[in-house]
Amino acid sequence: MSTKLRILVPVKRVIDFAIKPRINKTQTGVETKGVKFSINPFCDIALEESIRIREADKDKVENIHAVSIGPTKAQDVLRTALAKGADNSTLVDVGDEEVEPLSVAKLLQKVVEKDNSNLVILGKQAIDDDANQTGQMLAGLLNWPQATNASKVEIDGDNVTVTREIDGGADTLRAKLPLIITTDLRLNEPRYASLPNIMKAKKKPLEKLKASDLGIELVKRIETLKVVEPPVRNAGIKVETVDELVSKLKELKAI
Amino acid sequence: LETLAFIESSGAKISPASLSSVTAAKAIGKPITALIAGPHGAVIASDVAKVDGISKIILAKGDQYDHYLAEELSPLIKELLDTNTYTHFVIPASAVGKSVLPRVGALVDAQPISDIVKVESEDTFVRPIYAGNALSTVKSNDKLILTSVRASAFAPAPLSRDAPAPLEEYTASNASGNRTEFVSEDLVTSERPELGSAGKVVAGGRGLKNKETFEALIEPLATKLNAAVGASRAAVDSGFCDNSLQVGQTGKIVAPDLYIAIGISGAIQHLAGMKDSKTIVAINKDPEAPIFNVADIGLVADLTEVVPELTQKL
């Protein structure tokens, strides 16, 4: 008998990927008022993977727990996760302050211990701070194996084989449970939540905690001094022919 | 008070990204000790000894460091950081760096700063957020500062030392406890310059329509220019070329002297990966394509006609 999976899927609420963020007037961050927020796309892929693992072998998965660490409004992404297939969810309400990856990992470590999770699937990074840290940190704190940037996950009993996207190609790692996996873009294409499932999700559990309930004090190690727009690149010229293009390239000493 | 810089190999050479991270380490201003590991580490040792800015080398020889598994490297790095007077640890923001750095952060209880593009001072760095749509200047209050370095933002350090830096072998005192097993790797081999550090890049997008056209048009132009081949996410997802060629937020971030975008519309996530290129050329039949907003030279034309012509006339 192989171990049943108790999967934890952390999900982050971020500015929707289709929206171009605007810097706020005080240059301390990006404007969040009146902006659409969604589940971080890589977290969505992580959630999808956990649901597919269950769909492939229904008896293998005991529980899929979605957790979000964020503001009160992060409930919305948890409802979406429940509608897609998570069994239960937890919001660690940390208010509107940005929480650093190390603190997030420490909070998740507590949830893993409480839940007795044996597989954590996370997005490789959140598309707001682009840090790409939380999964690896959680693996370090728990002293678990880690497989980052997964493009394929195969589970056979307690053995998990993960193909990863690396510089210049792919590699394959194998580890026994428990394990941390972070997802890359090509692992799967997440589903949409159906209306009946959205309705049903309203009845699924959504637990609300504070960081202090998990015994973690949120400490800031990094100070953001300013946030600015990158230098704007102006459109150059249009040429009509290849000859013009070649002479322009020579003029710019690009060739 | 020194900086420990992890130097990665790429085949039998120092990875170009590692040389860029040495440049970032030099900007921090402390003496630099290079850490090299595994059988590949031993191979690059004599080259690392010549890298400008490196004053000492630590070689951790063990075979367990082959493939640079984070589970093996992180305890080694923690041990070195714990038993020496390092104030900084620097690693390239490569697949290895991204995997290793946060795990080290967890072990030494420090909050790393990933993907820096500028060193303002020894504790203050600039890094892109929101796919490069914003630049954030951040100051670390950690005693030990851990950073990964975006290669395209720093020139590679030259191999210009006359007297080689001294080398010391190191064996970790504690076992790593690693339970991850490396199975295999499938790397795309190419005669071309490496995409992440190439001086010229020819990239193709959805406009190429299929794999055959991609190969027939992009490859000869890249060969003529001695350029690396890149691609948009759309081209990769449509199977025109390998994943590892993807340029963009989720792929490679490049900043070559010349970037030629062919049949690429210019989605935000693609622009995030190439908009710091020095000269950008766009060839696209759609005059409204957003790529033209960042291109220095734009040519609105049918790429099947003009690309072979361009290849021939260069």
Side-chain angles (χ1 to χ4, degrees):
Chain A
M1 253 293 284
S2 64
T3 320
K4 288 216 175 195
L5 293 172
R6 298 186 54 81
I7 307 176
L8 182 69
V9 184
V11 290
K12 187 173 185 182
R13 174 182 181 265
V14 297
I15 292 179
D16 190 88
F17 77 96
I19 291 167
K20 188 177 155 61
R22 306 241 168 260
I23 312 291
N24 64 20
K25 287 207 178 70
T26 51
Q27 295 200 327
T28 51
V30 302
E31 196 53 70
T32 53
K33 285 212 181 73
V35 174
K36 186 188 175 199
F37 279 80
S38 306
I39 183 170
N40 175 47
F42 293 105
C43 302
D44 204 13
I45 293 171
L47 177 66
E48 177 69 28
E49 194 62 19
S50 68
I51 299 164
R52 289 190 190 191
I53 292 169
R54 170 180 275 162
E55 284 170 348
D57 184 356
K58 201 168 151 291
D59 298 328
K60 176 92 190 149
V61 178
E62 192 178 303
N63 182 257
I64 300 172
H65 183 187
V67 179
S68 193
I69 293 159
T72 313
K73 282 182 177 163
Q75 287 181 54
D76 300 349
V77 301
L78 289 173
R79 288 290 172 208
T80 307
L82 292 168
K84 291 187 182 201
D87 300 307
N88 60 325
S89 65
T90 301
L91 169 68
V92 183
D93 193 333
V94 291
D96 290 329
E97 274 292 296
E98 194 57 39
V99 182
E100 291 171 5
L102 185 58
S103 297
V104 172
K106 287 178 179 178
L107 288 165
L108 291 173
Q109 181 187 14
K110 295 291 176 189
V111 178
V112 165
E113 287 165 0
K114 212 170 124 186
D115 263 16
N116 217 358
S117 318
N118 50 16
L119 179 62
V120 186
I121 312 181
L122 310 88
K124 70 167 178 180
Q125 70 192 64
I127 60 165
D128 49 6
D129 62 12
D130 287 331
N132 191 338
Q133 293 179 354
T134 303
Q136 298 89 306
M137 285 187 153
L138 180 60
L141 292 173
L142 291 162
N143 193 24
W144 286 10
Q146 67 183 54
T148 52
N149 296 27
S151 59
K152 192 178 176 193
V153 174
E154 292 164 289
I155 302 182
D156 178 14
D158 286 359
N159 288 307
V160 186
T161 307
V162 180
T163 304
R164 313 161 57 229
E165 297 202 13
I166 58 167
D167 299 335
D171 72 6
T172 303
L173 302 179
R174 191 184 299 130
K176 278 200 191 323
L177 295 171
L179 171 71
I180 304 283
I181 295 173
T182 76
T183 61
D184 215 322
L185 196 62
R186 290 181 190 84
L187 182 58
N188 59 51
E189 265 185 56
R191 69 195 64 195
Y192 291 96
S194 70
L195 193 57
N197 284 341
I198 293 171
M199 300 311 288
K200 273 187 232 161
K202 290 185 177 161
K203 296 201 178 93
K204 287 188 179 177
L206 197 161
E207 176 192 27
K208 289 175 193 167
L209 299 175
K210 298 273 183 207
S212 54
D213 295 330
L214 292 165
I216 298 293
E217 195 193 340
L218 301 175
V219 188
K220 266 198 164 324
R221 318 289 194 91
I222 308 286
E223 231 176 291
T224 300
L225 302 182
K226 68 173 178 199
V227 176
V228 299
E229 293 232 16
V232 179
R233 206 175 168 115
N234 294 316
I237 53 144
K238 288 248 174 77
V239 293
E240 300 291 327
T241 65
V242 171
D243 289 325
E244 262 184 88
L245 171 57
V246 173
S247 69
K248 195 72 202 167
L249 281 170
K250 284 181 180 152
E251 199 180 302
L252 291 172
K253 299 196 169 31
I255 51 169
Chain B
L1 305 180
E2 301 117 43
T3 295
L4 182 66
F6 185 78
I7 308 290
E8 203 183 317
S9 79
S10 162
K13 287 189 179 151
I14 304 174
S15 83
S18 297
L19 292 171
S20 295
S21 66
V22 170
T23 302
K26 282 201 290 194
I28 291 169
K30 309 267 173 90
I32 303 166
T33 300
L35 171 62
I36 50 182
H40 286 90
V43 171
I44 59 171
S46 58
D47 277 348
V48 175
K50 290 181 215 147
V51 175
D52 179 51
I54 287 174
S55 52
K56 191 178 141 189
I57 303 170
I58 294 176
L59 167 63
K61 254 187 176 168
D63 284 344
Q64 70 271 33
Y65 304 120
D66 200 11
H67 311 299
Y68 297 135
L69 289 181
E71 293 85 337
E72 294 285 2
L73 284 176
S74 309
L76 166 73
I77 294 164
K78 175 190 158 51
E79 208 176 282
L80 287 166
L81 294 174
D82 282 349
T83 52
N84 290 278
T85 53
Y86 299 116
T87 53
H88 292 74
F89 174 69
V90 172
I91 194 165
S94 58
V96 171
K98 285 173 180 169
S99 176
V100 169
L101 182 78
R103 194 164 175 125
V104 173
L107 299 185
V108 301
D109 197 42
Q111 172 57 56
I113 300 177
S114 8
D115 226 4
I116 60 166
V117 294
K118 198 176 169 200
V119 178
E120 292 277 6
S121 72
E122 62 176 79
D123 61 7
T124 304
F125 307 90
V126 179
R127 61 180 302 269
I129 54 173
Y130 291 94
N133 281 302
L135 291 173
S136 178
T137 304
V138 291
K139 178 175 179 288
S140 171
N141 293 319
D142 274 326
K143 271 196 252 106
L144 181 59
I145 297 176
L146 314 176
T147 64
S148 62
V149 176
R150 180 174 289 193
S152 63
F154 297 88
L159 273 64
S160 60
R161 271 185 69 118
D162 294 328
L167 181 142
E168 181 187 296
E169 287 195 21
Y170 184 83
T171 309
S173 328
N174 302 310
S176 68
N178 171 43
R179 303 188 295 276
T180 308
E181 184 195 340
F182 174 85
V183 179
S184 63
E185 68 185 356
D186 181 13
L187 298 179
V188 178
T189 50
S190 166
E191 299 293 303
R192 298 186 193 289
E194 200 259 331
L195 178 58
S197 57
K200 298 189 179 93
V201 174
V202 178
R206 201 199 303 268
L208 272 309
K209 297 245 172 11
N210 54 52
K211 191 175 197 303
E212 290 68 35
T213 320
F214 188 97
E215 283 169 4
L217 296 185
I218 301 296
E219 302 275 338
L221 179 56
T223 304
K224 192 79 177 255
L225 287 166
N226 190 28
V229 171
S232 69
R233 180 177 158 187
V236 170
D237 286 351
S238 307
F240 300 178
C241 61
D242 188 79
N243 288 348
S244 60
L245 300 188
Q246 184 180 327
V247 171
Q249 176 57 16
T250 54
K252 282 269 167 31
I253 312 260
V254 301
D257 291 334
L258 175 62
Y259 189 91
I260 305 184
I262 296 168
I264 290 177
S265 65
I268 289 179
Q269 87 83 28
H270 184 76
L271 299 183
M274 47 64 80
K275 69 180 165 48
D276 293 326
S277 306
K278 196 164 162 218
T279 301
I280 298 174
V281 174
I283 301 175
N284 202 302
K285 68 168 192 274
D286 174 11
E288 303 300 321
I291 190 79
F292 288 121
N293 297 331
V294 300
D296 300 290
I297 314 173
L299 175 57
V300 179
D302 180 348
L303 55 90
T304 55
E305 285 166 21
V306 297
V307 175
E309 188 187 342
L310 176 61
T311 306
Q312 190 222 323
K313 287 181 172 165
L314 280 173

